[in-house]
DNA sequence: GATGAATGAGCCTTCATTCAT
DNA sequence: TATGAATGAAGGCTCATTCAT
């Protein structure tokens, strides 16, 4: 006991980190099946931990959702500059990047919906996602606008919201192809002739 | 006869109808603020009636939602052929009609969301809304496609879903203009050059 | 209107009586199917009247139940002396009479149960039934006891309660024959050898 | 290991078990006063717990009822063979055992009634009670019949139902002595001379 | 008198969140 | 720290009973 106060920290950390990982995996799975508002207990059960443990690691549901998707958001953000560098035109980069964003959202049952919830508890979530991605999108949009490939009167924030919205409910309606509709929207960005 | 009031069998209806009206108004208001899944009690309270009264008039939530929006759905449906007749081109008619649909949805917090719920209890709702509007939209879309004004590979159902989705959350985000984004989507329907 | 205050009374009476008859018939039918605690509205619906009409005629449920079975209780009561006069022995009269009582109860879904409810609202019901039948039973029991055919230490009230209890639930359990069990009980009344 | 507490995995159970006991006691008391269909809240209140706690321990009402009476049912079942071994005659054993069963039922307001409910939700309850006791009774009955002490044409199930019925309402009617009436019924089992 | 609309208490059940162990 | 038991607010729904028409 007394021996621990100093050197145990890394050990605990290892323990806790493993637990946190299990939680994130479990949450991700449950989210896919039952949406990001799935009962806390379901997540705890699947992770094999108590509900209290979830609250310890993620005080609010927003914290959990943020954590679950952090890596993917990060990867998406990082893809922006890369695509800009490797694509033929800024517009192509924008289109590809949007497509990637759609990939991300479409498999996250309920994520798109909660992303646009006005529930106060989700402010942190909105911030986390949009703050990270909007600037990336803005840079792509600006580049395309600068190249005259798209109209220049649209904010990145608005575009991302729109893409997010178009992805809502896409996973459980075979007659609705979110990717395709987002494609139409992006096509609509072209300057009118 | 005995009462001497003649053939006024739908008498009590005066009362009930007034009450039903109050209920529909209250529900519409509550729906705007808290979505179409707002607690029955809240609606009852705002209408100044007991909860039982809601169940008497609208046995299921779907019944209530349908009733709340029936008139607007009907008006929207009827506007389709009219616009087709009065517009310069089928595309203009389509664009106008979509705009009208947006008008309808934008103030209905949560309506778009429930419209795409897969909950079995909402079947009647889907039928009532989509069955009525999709054919109207299809006719406009077909006309525009026949005139070569839009691509011909999109179903009306999918388009309406997309428009519906783009309207989600529009009312409480000043940085997001659903009408405008729908405009971009409709612009994207143009055949590629 | 003015013309009515006097001579209409008999007319109303005819009307009301017809209505009351419809109510009693409807209640009897519903009671058979759903027990004597069936929803008031079900009875009103089957009778083709409003719920208010039931309350006008029968302020409490006990009043309704009493009225529904009044004739049969009366007939049962009157059968007592008749059986005593026509049977070979007082015991035979008692056995027959009890059997008749069982006939009455067994087809009244839930009646036996409510007869022994301790709900304060059923006091009038208990009084109505037991006050009328217990003396009849007592006379038969006394006669049999006087003839030395049964033990003399049992009250009629207690016997009737027992018979009533044995009839509870008889109608919906094919493995339980209330009549037969009552027969065993009555056999048990015989003085021990 | 890490916590150094050794193999105390069933630790929290101390707490929960105490609580469960309180629940069972409370339920038993409430059942006596208001029947086994008493509101969940009443039971929770008397136990001094939240309603959720009841649902945690006993997901269905049948589970709760079964648990409340499990020990007594078991004890009653085990008394059968013992009485058969220790009594002078099988009939005496049967009579004693029935008496014991009456002891059990007489204070359980509503139990007898629910035991004979045909509600699907009570299947587990029926199984738990009747499946356990009917065979015990059958053995006693058979032994007595084999000894020529009682008639042999009655099923144990029917007898137990009858005894159960005779016990209904016994606790709150000073003029009705269930034990005595059951005695008469059992006396009626004797073969007719 | 009759009607049935309205009321609202009352019950069940779920689940986020806290907290003793 | 981790656990999961306990809590209790919420919300859905039913029905006895009242009362305006």
């Amino acid at each position: 006991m007394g021996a621990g106060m100093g050197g145990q920290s890394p050990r605990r950390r290892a323990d806790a980190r493993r637990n946190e990982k299990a939680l994130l995996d479990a949450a991700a799975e449950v989210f896919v099946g039952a949406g990001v508002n799935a009962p806390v207990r379901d997540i705890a059960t699947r992770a094999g931990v108590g509900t209290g443990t979830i609250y310890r690691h993620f005080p609010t549901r927003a914290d959990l959702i943020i954590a679950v998707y952090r890596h993917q958001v990060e990867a998406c953000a990082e893809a922006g500059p890369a695509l800009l560098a490797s694509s033929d035109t800024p517009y192509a980069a924008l289109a590809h990047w949007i497509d990637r964003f759609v990939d991300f959202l479409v498999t996250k049952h309920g994520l798109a919906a909660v992303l646009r919830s006005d529930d106060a508890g989700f402010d942190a979530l909105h911030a986390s996602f949009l703050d990270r991605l909007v600037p990336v999108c803005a840079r792509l949009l600006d580049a395309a606008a600068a190249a005259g490939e798209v109209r220049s009167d649209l904010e990145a924030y608005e575009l991302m919201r729109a893409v997010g919205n178009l992805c809502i409910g896409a996973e459980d309606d075979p007659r609705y192809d979110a990717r395709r509709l987002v494609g139409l929207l992006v096509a609509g960005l072209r300057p009118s002739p």
Side-chain angles (χ1 to χ4, degrees), chain A residues 6-185:
Chain A
Q8 285 185 349
S9 177
R11 224 206 182 152
R12 293 273 178 184
R13 209 57 77 102
D15 224 49
R17 205 171 299 171
R18 199 170 314 134
N19 222 319
E20 190 165 312
K21 179 62 166 50
L23 260 174
L24 291 177
D25 289 347
E29 289 169 29
V30 172
F31 284 175
V32 168
V36 292
N37 285 309
V40 170
R41 197 161 337 191
D42 291 357
I43 300 169
T45 299
R46 173 168 287 218
V49 304
T51 53
T53 303
I54 293 191
Y55 283 93
R56 168 176 296 276
H57 287 278
F58 310 101
T60 74
R61 183 174 292 269
D63 294 325
L64 177 58
I65 299 175
I66 291 171
V68 165
Y69 297 123
R70 172 163 292 154
H71 294 311
Q72 298 178 66
V73 169
E74 191 52 35
C76 188
E78 287 169 358
L83 282 169
L84 197 50
S86 65
S87 298
D88 291 339
T89 69
Y91 179 79
L94 174 65
H96 280 145
W97 187 79
I98 293 282
D99 217 47
R100 204 185 191 298
F101 184 48
V102 171
D103 280 343
F104 168 52
L105 287 180
V106 145
T107 54
K108 276 52 177 192
H109 182 105
L111 176 58
V114 84
L115 262 185
R116 65 136 320 283
S117 156
D118 57 347
D119 185 315
F122 287 125
D123 287 350
L125 182 68
H126 300 158
S128 169
F129 276 60
L130 294 179
D131 286 5
R132 184 69 183 94
L133 296 180
V134 165
V136 174
C137 181
R139 195 169 148 209
L140 292 163
L141 198 57
D142 286 349
E149 292 180 304
V150 302
R151 43 169 72 204
S152 55
D153 58 354
L154 190 72
E155 294 290 334
Y157 172 83
E158 211 168 3
L159 175 57
M160 295 211 58
R161 273 259 181 258
V163 173
N165 273 4
L166 284 174
C167 290
I168 292 177
E171 70 272 19
D172 38 44
D173 188 343
R175 298 151 74 197
Y176 181 77
D177 181 348
R179 191 180 321 276
R180 191 179 170 215
L181 288 159
V182 169
L184 291 180
L185 178 67

